[in-house]
Each structure stands twice: as C-alpha cells, then as structure tokens.
Amino acid sequence: MTEHRVKKRSFNISMFNIKISPKESHEDFTELYSNLIKSLHNENIAINTRGEKWMELRTQFSIEDNKVLYGKLTYYTMLDGADWYNRRTKMIETVELDEDLYPNAKEIEYYFIPETHRFCFINKTNGIAMSQIEIFLREALPKLIVDNKEVLVNQELTSDVIERIINAPKLFRLEVGISYSNNDLSDEFEELFDDELRDSQVQNLNMIAKSFKSDTIKIEKSKLLKAALKLSQSNGYAEATIQNEEGKKENVATVNYPRKELVLSSEGNEHKDVYNKVMNLFRNG
C-alpha cells in the first residue's frame, strides 16, 4: 500500500488592518467585514493601481461559515489598441483587442479573517508590491461601503521598528498619524487613548513632536507619545528622526517595515493555518 505523504509548506504573510467606522454596538461587525470582502469579489471590481496595471480578486472560497475567505488576487496589464507598431509594414496601426484577455498576469494567495478584520497575503517576489495591494484595497473598498460608514486600510507594521524609535539614543522629531482601532489592544493606556479617539469621534489624529535643538525627546516619560507610536503599528504610520547606533542622524519611516509572520503549514491546509496564526496575534476586534 502506497503511503500518502503530506507536503509541508512554510511561507511568510503580510497583512492589512481593514477597519469600518463608526462602529455601532448593535452591529455584527464580523458579518459586515465578511460581506465587504465577498462583495469585492462578487461585484468583480478591478482597480487601476499603476500605469496600465490593474488588480482584482479573481477567485474566492470560504470555510466554516465564512471564517476565512481566501483565493487568488490577480495583477494584469490592460492594453490600449491604439498606436501599435507593425515591424513588417513599418506602420503605426490600431489593433482590435479581445476585451476579456489581458497579458502579464501575476497572482498571489490572499486570506481574509473577518473576526480580526485582517487581509493577509503570501509574500512572493513576483512583481506584486505591497503598495499596489494597498492602493487596490483603499480605492476598491469605499465603493462597497454604505453612506454612513467609512473604511480605513492600514499596513500591519513590524514591532521592531517601533521599538527602535523608542530605544534610539536620541529622538529629535516624531510624527505619528493614527486612527482608532477596533478594540484589539492589550496595553491599558493604549486602550484609554484609543477610547478617547473613539468616544470623541476623531477618525484621524496627526501629531508632531520636536525636541529643543540638539536635545532628545524623552519618549519614555510621555505615555501619550508612546501610546500613539504603538497604536501606529496597526492603525497608522510614524516617521522619526533619530540618532542611530553609529551616532548619525537617520530618518525612519515605519511604512518601510511591513510586518511579516511565518506560517508553518501543509498543502491544502494553508487557510486554516493562516487563520490560527492571525487569531493568535490579534484578539477579536
């Protein structure tokens, strides 16, 4: 009898935090997030992300009552039939193109977890940049939301860059842009600060802190700045001017440091293992 061997698979995922606001206490937000991403596929929305490049969710599947929505995100070229050069005739011509066929298609696997409102995708070096996926989500999702709601899309950023700013020998300037979270925080003061944003109906908050001349911002003594910086990991961005370990000034932008998480899986179980990984990282928001 031939033994069937399960093929092991490991991969890194990056994530976007998708937030619908405002959040009403009576609403089932898990269902709202699930319906949002299902509509993104069902309504066949394609977004022009750069030049002649377009993106859409080509396929979508689900498990256990939409606990995970997953499939293929496709990136392709949309060509214009005008001004094609014919090398044989040496003429510039207009050609008739099949309106349903597009060249240079590339794909990555995506996984959406409604309970944590995280849109995850497998990192691949195939020419689909995270910035292009971000443009796709930021432009496509607002087309599907009801009038009294807004949708925000933020990269999940690595905690290492946040800690590097906090622990820098000197911090000369700090700019933070944040929006309130969907209650997936652990630090008490972060929760208090987050609640203040939500209760006062502040959707976005931007703050800039500068030190006196060559002095350093003492971020460890400011609960406000530290909480805002930590909130930015999942809910915004931060830019800082620091003195680095070599004693030189350095500008650090957190958006250049997307969070990556290793998933250990087996072929056919990727969606389940991504779900378990993400649920362990973020409590239900």
Side-chain angles (χ1 to χ4, degrees):
M1 182 176 180
T2 303
E3 182 181 353
H4 177 68
R5 292 188 177 182
V6 177
K7 186 176 180 181
K8 299 294 183 182
R9 187 182 180 196
S10 63
F11 49 86
N12 285 306
I13 58 170
S14 290
M15 296 166 279
F16 290 98
N17 184 12
I18 295 174
K19 299 181 296 182
I20 299 171
S21 66
K23 183 177 182 179
E24 305 294 341
S25 58
H26 65 277
E27 291 180 300
D28 183 343
F29 255 54
T30 298
E31 184 178 2
L32 192 59
Y33 283 115
S34 175
N35 290 340
L36 178 66
I37 300 304
K38 285 195 290 185
S39 295
L40 182 57
H41 171 256
N42 292 339
E43 297 196 20
N44 204 29
I45 292 178
I47 296 295
N48 180 203
T49 62
R50 178 175 63 88
E52 296 176 329
K53 297 295 186 180
W54 291 71
M55 187 176 291
E56 64 183 83
L57 301 187
R58 182 173 69 83
T59 64
Q60 189 169 100
F61 308 95
S62 65
I63 62 165
E64 298 179 32
D65 196 25
N66 301 319
K67 190 163 74 171
V68 183
L69 301 173
Y70 65 99
K72 295 290 181 71
L73 187 153
T74 305
Y75 189 54
Y76 53 87
T77 304
M78 187 177 292
L79 298 177
D80 188 336
D83 302 326
W84 285 57
Y85 175 57
N86 186 324
R87 290 189 66 202
R88 179 177 56 82
T89 64
K90 305 298 183 184
M91 300 290 289
I92 305 296
E93 303 176 1
T94 296
V95 297
E96 186 175 344
L97 302 175
D98 189 319
E99 62 179 17
D100 294 319
L101 292 177
Y102 305 98
N104 307 318
K106 299 174 182 178
E107 293 193 313
I108 57 172
E109 298 162 65
Y110 74 88
Y111 304 87
F112 182 69
I113 319 299
E115 290 173 77
T116 61
H117 43 88
R118 260 60 178 196
F119 186 96
C120 315
F121 62 94
I122 294 180
N123 297 117
K124 292 175 68 176
T125 56
N126 67 344
I128 304 179
M130 188 170 188
S131 60
Q132 300 304 303
I133 301 173
E134 184 170 9
I135 290 170
F136 169 67
L137 293 173
R138 286 191 171 185
E139 293 194 11
L141 295 179
K143 299 177 183 292
L144 302 166
I145 209 74
V146 294
D147 291 340
N148 63 330
K149 300 285 188 185
E150 292 194 50
V151 61
L152 304 172
V153 177
N154 293 117
Q155 287 187 39
E156 280 290 338
L157 306 169
T158 176
S159 61
D160 292 346
V161 69
I162 303 295
E163 292 301 318
R164 184 166 181 243
I165 293 172
I166 292 172
N167 298 319
K170 286 189 175 183
L171 175 60
F172 303 110
R173 182 182 183 277
L174 178 64
E175 177 179 345
V176 181
I178 54 174
S179 57
Y180 65 75
S181 76
N182 272 349
N183 297 326
D184 46 9
L185 303 172
S186 56
D187 182 87
E188 184 178 350
F189 189 78
E190 286 178 53
E191 286 193 29
L192 178 62
F193 186 41
D194 188 53
D195 288 343
E196 286 283 326
L197 293 178
R198 184 181 295 102
D199 293 344
S200 57
Q201 296 187 0
V202 174
Q203 185 185 56
N204 295 291
L205 176 67
N206 296 82
M207 59 176 69
I208 298 176
K210 296 180 181 179
S211 65
F212 287 105
K213 296 185 179 179
S214 59
D215 288 341
T216 184
I217 297 170
K218 296 181 179 179
I219 192 169
E220 72 280 359
K221 293 188 176 181
S222 173
K223 287 185 177 181
L224 176 66
L225 288 178
K226 200 170 182 180
L229 181 56
K230 287 192 172 183
L231 275 172
S232 72
Q233 182 180 349
S234 295
N235 301 284
Y237 73 93
E239 295 178 359
T241 302
I242 66 171
Q243 181 188 81
N244 63 23
E245 297 77 7
E246 298 174 352
K248 298 179 180 179
K249 274 192 175 183
E250 181 182 347
N251 294 320
V252 178
T254 58
V255 294
N256 294 328
Y257 299 87
R259 183 173 188 167
K260 294 181 181 180
E261 292 289 340
L262 177 65
V263 177
L264 302 177
S265 186
S266 57
E267 199 169 67
N269 290 308
E270 294 89 347
H271 48 292
K272 296 178 182 178
D273 293 315
V274 169
Y275 173 83
N276 291 332
K277 167 66 77 170
V278 173
M279 288 300 293
N280 285 332
L281 292 172
F282 308 102
R283 73 175 194 237
N284 191 357

